Amino acid sequence: MPSFSLRALTTAAFLFTTTTTAFPLFPRETQWSFNLYPTQACNGTGELHAGSGSTGCRAHLDSVASAYTLNTVADGCRIEFYDNTMCDGNEISDLAGPMTTTQTCRVPNLQRRYASYQVTCEKIEV
């Protein structure tokens, strides 16, 4: 039975790869994800935020966020973190992009918490 599961997973991976490369006219969605943490040590259960493409201002965070770890940010995207709930551009606490180190605990500069975020992605023309 385990060989059947492995064979099914291999077949599914092969079909996905050939489908996405055989039809390059289908747009590939931009991906980003990060975890917010209630402590500045990034311990405990993180709150996952993930998506494709740009977002508006996201201020309905489930918990007070004192730190975050970045999982991934695709080329052409950036994540702006704010210490206010209105994504006020004058109060950016941190900025993450494709070159930002992943899986490193990051805390806001001189701020007490992250209260909102906004993701901006360029449209990728195929």
Side-chain angles (χ1 to χ4, degrees):
M1 193 68 150
S3 64
F4 173 76
S5 297
L6 181 59
R7 192 173 347 179
L9 286 174
T10 304
T11 303
F14 172 75
L15 290 173
F16 176 76
T17 303
T18 56
T19 302
T20 57
T21 56
F23 300 103
L25 298 177
F26 291 168
R28 294 189 182 136
E29 293 296 320
T30 305
Q31 299 294 319
W32 52 267
S33 72
F34 60 90
N35 290 78
L36 292 174
Y37 293 91
T39 67
Q40 290 188 349
C42 292
N43 55 11
T45 304
E47 178 185 306
L48 177 65
H49 293 263
S52 300
S54 298
T55 69
C57 182
R58 302 284 191 228
H60 302 290
L61 308 181
D62 291 339
S63 63
V64 173
S66 297
Y68 76 92
T69 56
L70 184 65
N71 300 317
T72 185
V73 180
D75 287 338
C77 288
R78 70 183 197 172
I79 305 169
E80 297 168 322
F81 295 93
Y82 301 88
D83 75 332
N84 60 69
T85 58
M86 299 180 308
C87 297
D88 183 353
N90 295 324
E91 298 182 34
I92 291 179
S93 294
D94 204 351
L95 178 67
M99 302 303 288
T100 306
T101 305
T102 58
Q103 303 304 318
T104 300
C105 187
R106 297 177 61 100
V107 296
N109 296 328
L110 305 174
Q111 304 296 337
R112 298 177 59 195
R113 68 184 186 117
Y114 296 113
S116 62
Y117 70 90
Q118 179 173 287
V119 181
T120 306
C121 297
E122 299 171 359
K123 287 210 173 227
I124 300 172
E125 299 297 325
V126 184

